[in-house]
Amino acid sequence: MDNTFLEKYGTWAIITGASSGIGAEFARQIAAKGLNVVLIARRKQLLEALAHQLEEKYSVHTKTIEADLIKDDFHHTILDATNDLDIGLLVNNAGMNCEGHFYRGSLERNVQMLQLNTRAPFILAYEFGKRFISKGKGGIIFTSSISAFSAHPFLSHYAATKAYILSLAESMNYEFKDKNVDVLALCPGMTKSEMTKGMKDGPMLMDAPPVVETALNNLGKTAYVVPGFINKAQVFINSRILNRNGAKNLTGAMLKKILPAANKKKKK
Ligand SMILES: NC(=O)c1ccc[n+]([C@@H]2O[C@H](COP(=O)([O-])OP(=O)(O)OC[C@H]3O[C@@H](n4cnc5c(N)ncnc54)[C@H](OP(=O)(O)O)[C@@H]3O)[C@@H](O)[C@H]2O)c1
């Protein structure tokens, strides 16, 4: 068991979007380090099944909270349910995407994405960050994306939400470091999860375990981390070799080719 991690971020961790994909993997790896976990998402049955597995396998305590993070007052449910727990780690991971031409997704879906991908993680980071600072220890991980580093035509609004998260996490990392609170943005590229279901397997599609391992290994060491060689190369080209205009044009041409939704018209 990783006692250093437990000492720094124990005794409870909160993970949003824990019912599938990257969030469920965060729950597994954090429980393996001996922390108790609070699992949050809308699909209660999936959360309960995972909670049961984690209790059996790692002898940790778990709590599941069914919450829709798009709702205006979602945080009251979470804060009330965790008031008596010693939370030391927040993983702000839940998210959704909208891909294709700018007008393809409905306005309602786009606004929901804005609330889920930006408002919800901001509110949780604000509330738990305050507690961590007063305790003098803690950690916050945000799941951003490699799309945060440059403009992403055909993922325009999604990439903008992830750029918000990266900027927020980097600035918080600086402000919080002398308070003994570690903040990290995890910036994955394409990763196997429900979000990428149906996508062709290949070297660009990473498994969730190494993505999460990269995040947990880098919390407290850096402000953001990009898992995987291909993703690192893509970020390097887009942010160091090309100018912003060049990165936008290259990314747009590439996504038009590989995203099926980029070539479909708005649903009637
Ligand atoms: N997969 C990728 O290629 C990739 C790449 C870069 C970044 N990311 C980011 O990684 C994070 C995790 O996504 P994933 O790839 O693991 O996809 P996923 O398998 O679809 O997981 C999304 C999680 O978010 C939860 N969620 C969705 N809407 C919610 C809502 N309204 N309220 C509460 N929870 C909600 C889902 O649970 P319920 O449906 O049960 O609520 C689920 O647990 C996201 O922030 C995503 O943007 C993914």
Side-chain angles (χ1 to χ4, degrees), residues 146-256:
I146 53 168
S147 66
F149 292 92
S150 65
H152 268 56
F154 308 110
L155 274 178
S156 312
H157 189 203
Y158 173 77
T161 67
K162 293 301 179 180
Y164 167 97
I165 288 299
L166 176 59
S167 173
L168 180 69
E170 284 188 284
S171 302
M172 285 178 72
N173 170 282
Y174 187 91
E175 285 192 46
F176 283 32
K177 72 180 166 206
D178 62 353
K179 312 272 192 275
N180 201 31
V181 177
D182 299 328
V183 182
L184 174 80
L186 166 66
C187 303
M190 283 191 290
T191 306
K192 286 178 199 164
S193 72
E194 289 186 4
M195 198 178 264
T196 52
K197 207 161 51 185
M199 220 170 240
K200 222 170 86 189
D201 209 347
M204 284 185 82
L205 194 58
M206 283 185 76
D207 288 315
V211 168
V212 167
E213 206 181 328
T214 304
L216 297 180
N217 287 343
N218 282 282
L219 181 61
K221 295 185 185 146
T222 179
Y224 73 87
V225 69
V226 177
F229 176 76
I230 294 180
N231 296 327
K232 281 190 179 68
Q234 196 176 320
V235 168
F236 184 78
I237 292 167
N238 275 349
S239 55
R240 301 274 179 87
I241 296 185
L242 299 174
N243 61 24
R244 289 186 70 83
N245 206 34
K248 172 202 69 183
N249 290 338
L250 178 71
T251 307
M254 197 179 80
L255 290 179
K256 195 166 174 31

Side-chain angles (χ1 to χ4, degrees), residues 70 96 105-115:
I70 284 166
M96 61 187 273
S106 65
L107 178 61
E108 189 189 8
R109 183 173 164 83
N110 271 280
V111 172
Q112 286 176 350
M113 179 173 72
L114 190 61
Q115 285 172 305

Side-chain angles (χ1 to χ4, degrees), residues 16-26 40-44 46-47 65-71 74 92-97 112 116-117 120 142-147 158 161-162 186-197 199 204-206 208 211:
T16 69
S19 59
S20 66
I22 296 172
E25 186 55 34
F26 263 118
I40 301 174
R42 292 165 303 177
R43 289 169 297 174
K44 180 93 171 155
L46 290 180
L47 295 180
I65 304 177
E66 182 182 353
D68 184 345
L69 305 190
I70 284 166
K71 295 220 165 112
F74 80 89
N92 257 326
N93 165 79
M96 61 187 273
N97 72 352
Q112 286 176 350
L116 180 65
N117 292 10
F142 292 88
T143 307
S144 175
S145 158
I146 53 168
S147 66
Y158 173 77
T161 67
K162 293 301 179 180
L186 166 66
C187 303
M190 283 191 290
T191 306
K192 286 178 199 164
S193 72
E194 289 186 4
M195 198 178 264
T196 52
K197 207 161 51 185
M199 220 170 240
M204 284 185 82
L205 194 58
M206 283 185 76
V211 168

Side-chain angles (χ1 to χ4, degrees), residues 23-158:
E25 186 55 34
F26 263 118
R28 284 185 205 101
Q29 293 193 24
I30 290 169
K33 290 179 183 299
L35 275 77
N36 305 315
V37 287
V38 180
L39 309 176
I40 301 174
R42 292 165 303 177
R43 289 169 297 174
K44 180 93 171 155
Q45 272 187 340
L46 290 180
L47 295 180
E48 280 174 353
L50 178 60
H52 183 68
Q53 285 168 18
L54 300 180
E55 285 175 8
E56 291 274 296
K57 191 162 179 191
Y58 302 112
S59 307
V60 292
H61 297 292
T62 66
K63 183 167 196 141
T64 59
I65 304 177
E66 182 182 353
D68 184 345
L69 305 190
I70 284 166
K71 295 220 165 112
D72 276 356
D73 60 350
F74 80 89
H75 49 294
H76 298 306
T77 314
I78 295 176
L79 294 174
D80 289 349
T82 57
N83 217 6
D84 56 339
L85 303 180
D86 179 24
I87 309 282
L89 179 63
L90 164 68
V91 183
N92 257 326
N93 165 79
M96 61 187 273
N97 72 352
C98 256
E99 49 183 61
H101 281 282
F102 189 73
Y103 286 113
R104 190 163 179 270
S106 65
L107 178 61
E108 189 189 8
R109 183 173 164 83
N110 271 280
V111 172
Q112 286 176 350
M113 179 173 72
L114 190 61
Q115 285 172 305
L116 180 65
N117 292 10
T118 61
R119 179 180 181 272
F122 166 73
I123 291 177
L124 292 178
Y126 184 91
E127 293 290 354
F128 285 100
K130 209 163 38 177
R131 293 186 192 183
F132 297 163
I133 285 177
S134 69
K135 264 202 325 184
K137 67 173 202 162
I140 303 176
I141 298 175
F142 292 88
T143 307
S144 175
S145 158
I146 53 168
S147 66
F149 292 92
S150 65
H152 268 56
F154 308 110
L155 274 178
S156 312
H157 189 203
Y158 173 77

